[in-house]
Amino acid sequence: MSKLTSCFLISLCAFVVIAKEDDVLVVTDADFKEKLQDKEVALVMFYAPWCGHCKRLKPEYEKAAADLLADEDAPVTLAKADCTDNAEKKCQEFGVSGYPTLKIFRNGVLSQDYQGPREANGIVKYMKAMAGPSAKPIRTSGDLDKFLSVNDVGVVGFFPEDSSLKKTFQTAADSLRENVRFGLVEDASLASDFKNKIVLYRPKILSNKFEEPHSVYEGGENDLGAVKDWISDNFAGLVGYRTSDNGRFFKADNLVVAYYDVDYAKNPKGTNYWRNRILKVASGLRETLASKNVQFAVSGKDDFQHELDSFGITYFKGDKPKVAIMAENGKNKYVMAGEFTVENFEKFLKDWVNGELEPYVKSEPIPEGDSANDGDVLVAVAKNFDALVTNTDRDTLIEFYAPWCGHCKKLAPTYAELASDLKGEEVDIVKFDATANDVPKQYDVTGFPTLYWAPVGSKMSPEKYQGGREKDDFIKYIAKKATKELKNFDREGKKKAKEEL
């Protein structure tokens, strides 16, 4: 190894160490106010060293801190406070009850809770938006060029004079600053083309021949809602670049996404090669899709693997996109079969519009034989859920579980005993692996285990079970709620005497 190479590696290692140790400001009970009072904007992470979530956030937080320090236009400091060691009083003062908790301070005074992303780029973007005025002053043509050179959407208000629209623009900027960059031009010489106008500019890397690179607001001057809706509707353009931190701008009833190696930093040409083909089809089918409220997007396949999993698409090789539709606000999903070509993509969309596609349902195989039941507990999957639950004339208690869930494992023997005790009743005790199957839309499952009661006549409006987890708790609930009185238990859940049976 050459001396030059060795020096370079040593320097690089030193830089990495410095970046990790020095870029995040350490604050304690003793120096919290002193260290933060001269910081225009500071993000403080209140943490515990043993916390798993804190450990996962740590490298992203450090990278964000380094990026912000390197940006002279971003007066933002990232700090951390150890709630288990030397910052216990501050953690109590600011109501920290879980780790990590992130809060934004302005000159040492608490401003607000942090509600942004937890990855480096998202933290940087969010915190830069928190610094300075919500609409950045643009005073020269050079400032405007610099503002528009950033690979992100920018909204510019051209207001050499005060007006009602200027006030509405400022209010919109204050409201949306966390997610959108705003600039304000007050120099008449810079505002000649768009005097008293609001203009949304899409990043130059997304420019294409199928749409204008910018959009001009033409709505009411005092209509704040219209301005915000206009920004949201035009943010993505014809085919937007959808990331983990801008998803709020992709909320159409029907979202068509092409997943592939999207990388505008290292491979913009290759990224746009496929995006241009999506654009061509999207542009050509504008009239066909006009009534569908459709948005198109490209997304990095690695960043959205969780979404691909929900479509039954595991890791795939090659550079060609996989395409899927989240339709009717996510109620139905459609996956394009076969290899991506412009022709196949166009046919896929036309077939969807014409109702010729079957929705994709993520499901385990329908269990058969001994695996159809787990003792007296019925095993449902997405493909047989309607047959076992929705379309039956029997009341049903359903447990939505995850195989790895500790609370689910603890409940399992009690649930099995319940099913055994209710054998012969007109009630089914069912379990459903919500990690391997799509959960029907009438059930809201956000944690495990989640239990629902679906009685006869109300299968599409089930009731979430909120009671105890002991067998007697379940029996009392079911005895009271059952459509037909149980054979072996009265309405209070008490075992019937033999003469009552």
Side-chain angles (χ1 to χ4, degrees), residues 334-360:
Y334 300 87
V335 180
M336 190 177 89
E339 194 172 70
F340 180 88
T341 65
V342 169
E343 294 75 20
N344 284 346
F345 181 41
E346 185 172 331
K347 183 179 185 303
F348 171 65
L349 291 173
K350 288 180 177 178
D351 288 347
W352 168 61
V353 170
N354 295 329
E356 297 174 5
L357 298 179
E358 285 293 323
Y360 170 78

Side-chain angles (χ1 to χ4, degrees), residues 45 50 53 80 117 207 282 305 308 328 356 374 395 398 421 464:
M45 175 176 70
W50 46 259
H53 293 297
K80 62 182 179 181
S207 63
Q305 186 56 56
L308 288 166
E328 295 93 50
E356 297 174 5
D374 184 3
D395 296 337
I398 313 108
D421 283 7
K464 182 176 283 190

Side-chain angles (χ1 to χ4, degrees), residues 177-227:
R177 65 182 295 167
E178 297 175 8
N179 303 103
V180 182
R181 295 185 312 122
F182 289 87
L184 176 61
V185 172
E186 295 181 297
D187 187 324
S189 65
L190 295 178
S192 57
D193 292 336
F194 298 112
K195 185 177 179 181
N196 202 40
K197 295 287 187 180
I198 305 173
V199 185
L200 182 148
Y201 294 89
R202 298 185 193 91
K204 293 179 180 179
I205 56 171
L206 299 183
S207 63
N208 61 84
K209 65 181 181 180
F210 300 101
E211 61 184 338
E212 293 295 326
H214 61 264
S215 178
V216 181
Y217 175 71
E218 302 290 355
E221 291 201 355
N222 297 302
D223 195 339
L224 176 62
V227 172

Side-chain angles (χ1 to χ4, degrees), residues 294-312:
V294 179
Q295 267 187 301
F296 289 84
V298 297
S299 291
K301 64 179 184 180
D302 293 336
D303 296 333
F304 286 87
Q305 186 56 56
H306 63 287
E307 226 166 63
L308 288 166
D309 289 342
S310 75
F311 293 115

Side-chain angles (χ1 to χ4, degrees), residues 52 89 129 157 221 244 252 268 275 327 360 371 373 395 444 467 483:
K89 292 181 180 178
E221 291 201 355
S244 58
R275 179 171 174 268
Y360 170 78
S371 63
N373 300 334
D395 296 337
D444 180 23
T483 302

Side-chain angles (χ1 to χ4, degrees), residues 6 23 229 240 275 282 308:
S6 298
D23 292 340
D229 287 345
R275 179 171 174 268
L308 288 166

